[in-house]
Amino acid sequence: MEEQKDFDILEMPAEGLAAYWLSIKKLIDVKRNREVLEEEIRYTREPYIKFLLETAFSEMDPETVQRLAAHKTKTLIGEYARKLSAMQLALRAMSSQENPRITFVRMASQYPVSVISEKKAFSLAHGLVDGLLDKNSDHTLLLEFDHKLQPDRLLVKLLFHIILSRKEGKQQLEQLIPYIKIPFYANGLTQVIDGFDHRVLQTNLTVQADQILSYSERKMDMAAEMCLGIRKKLSYDDIFRIARAFMP
């Protein structure tokens, strides 16, 4: 089994997530041993799914598993919310040409503890700008961006985009688009490039972020219920009924 590189609960549709758990149910029913779960745990990178696989099929009772799953959901949704908020602040700054130092303070304040100092963040961000102008640099390494980045790296990359926009102009942001792995941010950058007013941009991004977080939370709830259903050895049809409860 190959390592899953694109399996991401924030981006995948509920139908795809439901299909994943139904496939796990089939594998367990066919192989009838724990090896399939151990292999899945080994190669799964998606944090919430990995947590469910490790926890739901442990010796813990179902009530404890469900309680822990709820806590994990809250933790991950909170982390996603901070990252989406930082992206919104960066996009608004690029649209309004806000002072990067002010924007950095706004972005850094999304986190309960400091993840990187202002001095280090600016030094690294300016280094990325210089690297972009170097023809021999690896643009994929410099420009690749998604929500899976650690908070310090995420803030540095966002600050890099802000400085680039302020220094070279918004049209220079277009070269970033192919390397952006999260549609929310890629769409926002496109709106910045197209000259959307920062107030309109903020409204659009806030609504979209709220929808992404709400949908992700619902997908996590569905995943937990389906996983527990598999643990209880419910039939394939009953596992499918659980999935349907979370879909229109």
Side-chain angles (χ1 to χ4, degrees), residues 57-74:
F57 299 99
S58 68
E59 297 299 319
M60 287 188 281
D61 61 88
E63 291 75 18
T64 300
V65 172
Q66 197 157 32
R67 187 175 69 253
L68 293 177
H71 285 303
K72 190 66 172 178
T73 295
K74 185 177 180 180

Side-chain angles (χ1 to χ4, degrees), residues 1-9 20 39-51 53-54 72 76 80 144 146 148-149:
M1 181 181 294
E2 294 182 357
E3 188 174 8
Q4 298 174 1
K5 298 182 183 300
D6 299 319
F7 188 48
D8 179 55
I9 205 166
Y20 168 79
E39 188 174 14
E40 197 67 25
I41 291 169
R42 188 179 309 120
Y43 291 103
T44 297
R45 295 174 59 191
E46 210 295 319
Y48 187 70
I49 302 305
K50 192 177 188 73
F51 175 82
L53 289 168
E54 290 175 335
K72 190 66 172 178
L76 289 175
Y80 294 149
E144 194 168 64
D146 68 26
K148 299 172 189 174
L149 291 171

Side-chain angles (χ1 to χ4, degrees):
M1 181 181 294
E2 294 182 357
E3 188 174 8
Q4 298 174 1
K5 298 182 183 300
D6 299 319
F7 188 48
D8 179 55
I9 205 166
L10 196 70
E11 297 294 335
M12 74 186 308
E15 292 82 1
L17 183 59
Y20 168 79
W21 286 108
L22 289 170
S23 71
I24 293 295
K25 169 63 178 173
K26 279 187 176 179
L27 283 172
I28 290 175
D29 286 351
V30 170
K31 295 194 175 182
R32 297 184 181 281
N33 60 47
R34 189 178 168 80
E35 287 183 8
V36 62
L37 290 173
E38 292 174 349
E39 188 174 14
E40 197 67 25
I41 291 169
R42 188 179 309 120
Y43 291 103
T44 297
R45 295 174 59 191
E46 210 295 319
Y48 187 70
I49 302 305
K50 192 177 188 73
F51 175 82
L52 286 180
L53 289 168
E54 290 175 335
T55 309
F57 299 99
S58 68
E59 297 299 319
M60 287 188 281
D61 61 88
E63 291 75 18
T64 300
V65 172
Q66 197 157 32
R67 187 175 69 253
L68 293 177
H71 285 303
K72 190 66 172 178
T73 295
K74 185 177 180 180
T75 299
L76 289 175
I77 291 295
E79 181 64 13
Y80 294 149
R82 283 187 286 273
K83 290 182 175 181
L84 291 179
S85 182
M87 291 179 208
Q88 289 181 68
L89 290 167
L91 290 165
R92 176 168 176 150
M94 286 181 265
S95 177
S96 66
Q97 293 294 291
E98 182 177 70
N99 185 310
R101 288 194 65 192
I102 295 174
T103 308
F104 175 78
V105 172
R106 294 186 198 274
M107 294 191 300
S109 69
Q110 302 303 305
Y111 292 88
V113 296
S114 175
V115 296
I116 187 170
S117 70
E118 179 180 330
K119 182 178 180 180
K120 184 176 181 180
F122 272 87
S123 175
L124 292 172
H126 280 293
L128 290 175
V129 174
D130 293 340
L132 185 61
L133 300 176
D134 182 354
K135 294 181 180 180
N136 297 319
S137 63
D138 184 346
H139 280 201
T140 299
L141 181 64
L142 286 173
L143 302 181
E144 194 168 64
F145 178 90
D146 68 26
H147 68 278
K148 299 172 189 174
L149 291 171
Q150 291 298 312
D152 58 339
R153 294 186 62 200
L154 183 105
L155 293 186
V156 168
K157 284 285 181 86
L158 291 174
L159 188 57
F160 159 47
H161 298 168
I162 294 166
I163 293 171
L164 178 66
S165 173
R166 191 176 175 89
K167 184 178 180 181
E168 304 292 335
K170 296 176 185 177
Q171 293 305 313
Q172 290 300 316
L173 298 171
E174 195 162 358
Q175 63 187 303
L176 306 178
I177 301 295
Y179 301 93
I180 306 299
K181 304 303 181 183
I182 175 168
F184 171 80
Y185 190 64
N187 293 337
L189 273 180
T190 299
Q191 292 175 33
V192 170
I193 295 166
D194 289 344
F196 276 49
D197 180 83
H198 65 273
R199 289 162 294 193
V200 175
L201 180 67
Q202 182 64 38
T203 299
N204 293 345
L205 293 171
T206 298
V207 171
Q208 188 178 6
D210 287 345
Q211 290 298 317
I212 290 172
L213 293 172
S214 176
Y215 187 38
S216 296
E217 186 171 3
R218 189 164 74 250
K219 287 184 288 185
M220 290 179 182
D221 289 343
M222 180 187 74
E225 292 291 346
M226 293 183 74
C227 186
L228 284 169
I230 294 170
R231 170 178 166 148
K232 294 175 184 176
K233 299 183 179 180
L234 299 181
S235 69
Y236 181 93
D237 288 342
D238 283 344
I239 301 298
F240 184 49
R241 289 186 181 97
I242 292 172
R244 286 169 57 191
F246 292 86
M247 299 180 192

